[in-house]
Amino acid sequence: MHRTRIRVIEDALDANNTIARANREDFDQAAVKVVNLMSAPGAGKTTLLERALPDLGGVRAGVLEGDVQGSYDADRIVSLHVPVTQINTDPGFGGECHLDANMVRSAIPALPLQEIDLLLIENVGNLVCPAEFRVGEDARVMVSAITEGEDKPLKYPLMFRTCELVLVNKIDLLEHLDFDLDLFLHNLDAVHPGVPRLLVSARTGEGVQEWSRWLTRLVMPVEAPV
Amino acid sequence: MHELAIAQSVVRIAEAHAEGRPVVGVNLKVGHLRQVMPSALRFSFQLASQGTALDGAELRIEEVPAAARCRSCSLQTVLEAFPFECAECGGSDLELVAGEELLVESIDV
């Protein structure tokens, strides 16, 4: 049988990236900055949002919650009187393990883009899959709780390599665990040299003000002194 | 299991280029810096290709090691572990030249 080889040379995620760019254009047009918040399940994404949201000064924030099922996180955020939109990935193939650009695109009509300056997208809890899918974000923030161990940057390098900020959460547990913070930071720098990081505790509030300030600055960059 | 989403995307790309012809093979490059498991991708591809022009097609995956060019001494190094550094001068100011691919290179029809 005669076979023909056809050259393609196309990124397998090109379709996702194209939609992500369209999302980004829509967000830019509405002057909304977008953060893609990612972590393993239980690292503290929602609690860190609950901590930061009341402390954003004049920045008007909205939240897009991505979960396989349910609206547990959205229910928590809504009590802060912040507009929140839920995406469930369950209608996919047994529930997608990540948000992709198209899921976010489908949520755009439900987002109050004219009423917010900042959209916080809480991705599905997962250290692997969300890292592969751009959704139209300006910045990627990941939460790594110290209960996860020091080796996570080395085991899940893509997410650590592609984020603009790492929140090292549950720092209040440092004295109760065998976690070696210096080793963790060493591993983090091995994978993503010099990536900005904040040591935080969503429980005690330690470092949370810096987290809020980081978000505020994303929307309103500090002007350089004249 | 994001490999399924990637496999579905590969099938769509291949179908678009095949223009109605049955596809017997897909050649894909996967860089070591991507978190894509070839075995999971092959399994997903079998599922995703069922009932399409790619039904029964072979997915050939070429794994691409990470490599970088040193900005200090210009040597190209294959990167095998973190932290990334130049094998020649130990420098860490590197420009990645390979390892981030997730590329449908060609299809056989």
Side-chain angles (χ1 to χ4, degrees), chain B residues 4-106:
Chain B
L4 184 62
I6 293 169
Q8 288 168 333
S9 185
V10 168
V11 168
R12 277 193 293 271
I13 290 170
E15 278 193 313
H17 285 265
E19 296 171 335
R21 290 167 287 186
V23 178
V24 293
V26 177
N27 300 301
L28 189 72
K29 274 189 173 173
V30 178
H32 279 177
L33 293 173
R34 304 301 289 250
Q35 283 186 182
V36 175
M37 270 179 66
S39 59
L41 189 54
R42 278 200 192 87
F43 176 68
S44 303
F45 179 77
Q46 280 181 8
L47 295 177
S49 58
Q50 277 170 21
T52 73
L54 284 80
D55 208 334
E58 186 189 354
L59 180 65
R60 298 181 207 103
I61 298 175
E62 182 192 339
E63 296 184 49
V64 185
R69 196 184 59 79
C70 177
R71 288 196 179 95
S72 306
C73 74
S74 296
L75 189 96
Q76 192 156 317
T77 305
V78 172
L79 307 166
E80 275 161 9
F82 294 104
F84 291 163
E85 52 190 37
C86 173
E88 181 67 21
C89 72
S92 58
D93 187 12
L94 305 174
E95 180 194 357
L96 273 175
V97 293
E100 293 186 306
E101 298 82 355
L102 188 57
L103 204 65
V104 182
E105 195 164 58
S106 61

Side-chain angles (χ1 to χ4, degrees), chain A residues 10-218:
Chain A
E10 196 169 315
D11 190 304
L13 290 178
D14 206 35
N16 185 75
N17 295 336
T18 301
I19 299 169
R21 279 192 295 274
N23 292 347
R24 180 75 184 270
E25 279 168 23
D26 286 359
F27 296 139
D28 281 350
Q29 204 154 24
V32 173
K33 293 283 182 188
V34 179
V35 168
N36 185 359
L37 186 63
M38 302 184 283
S39 80
K45 291 184 297 302
T46 313
T47 315
L48 283 167
L49 286 180
E50 288 177 305
R51 281 284 189 171
L53 284 167
D55 191 27
L56 294 177
V59 172
R60 301 166 305 164
V63 175
L64 181 59
E65 283 289 347
D67 287 293
V68 175
Q69 279 195 351
S71 59
Y72 307 100
D73 294 345
D75 295 344
R76 287 166 59 183
I77 299 296
V78 92
S79 66
L80 297 169
H81 307 291
V82 169
V84 54
T85 308
Q86 178 77 50
I87 300 179
N88 281 132
T89 65
D90 193 35
F93 198 95
E96 285 284 10
C97 46
H98 58 270
L99 291 178
D100 65 26
N102 201 38
M103 294 179 209
V104 170
R105 183 124 203 100
S106 67
I108 285 181
L111 294 171
L113 292 182
Q114 303 308 323
E115 293 151 38
I116 59 175
D117 313 303
L118 173 67
L119 178 66
L120 296 149
I121 301 179
E122 182 176 344
N123 215 310
V124 179
N126 182 332
L127 274 182
V128 181
C129 312
E132 290 282 1
F133 298 87
R134 294 271 162 192
V135 297
E137 67 270 46
D138 292 274
R140 294 180 147 198
V141 176
M142 72 161 302
V143 183
S144 189
I146 66 170
T147 45
E148 296 171 46
E150 302 93 349
D151 55 356
K152 290 305 164 290
L154 302 176
K155 292 174 88 169
Y156 302 93
L158 186 65
M159 188 168 288
F160 284 92
R161 281 182 62 233
T162 59
C163 65
E164 277 75 35
L165 176 69
V166 176
L167 299 172
V168 185
N169 193 23
K170 308 193 185 181
I171 203 74
D172 55 299
L173 296 178
L174 203 50
E175 57 182 310
H176 305 293
L177 302 174
D178 296 328
F179 182 82
D180 183 338
L181 181 60
D182 289 337
L183 177 59
F184 173 83
L185 296 175
H186 175 81
N187 290 340
L188 179 61
D189 279 322
V191 170
H192 193 162
V195 61
R197 76 283 315 259
L198 293 172
L199 305 182
V200 300
S201 165
R203 184 169 158 267
T204 67
E206 180 181 344
V208 165
Q209 201 179 10
E210 286 75 18
W211 159 226
S212 300
R213 206 169 293 154
W214 189 91
L215 288 170
T216 310
R217 271 203 302 265
L218 185 71

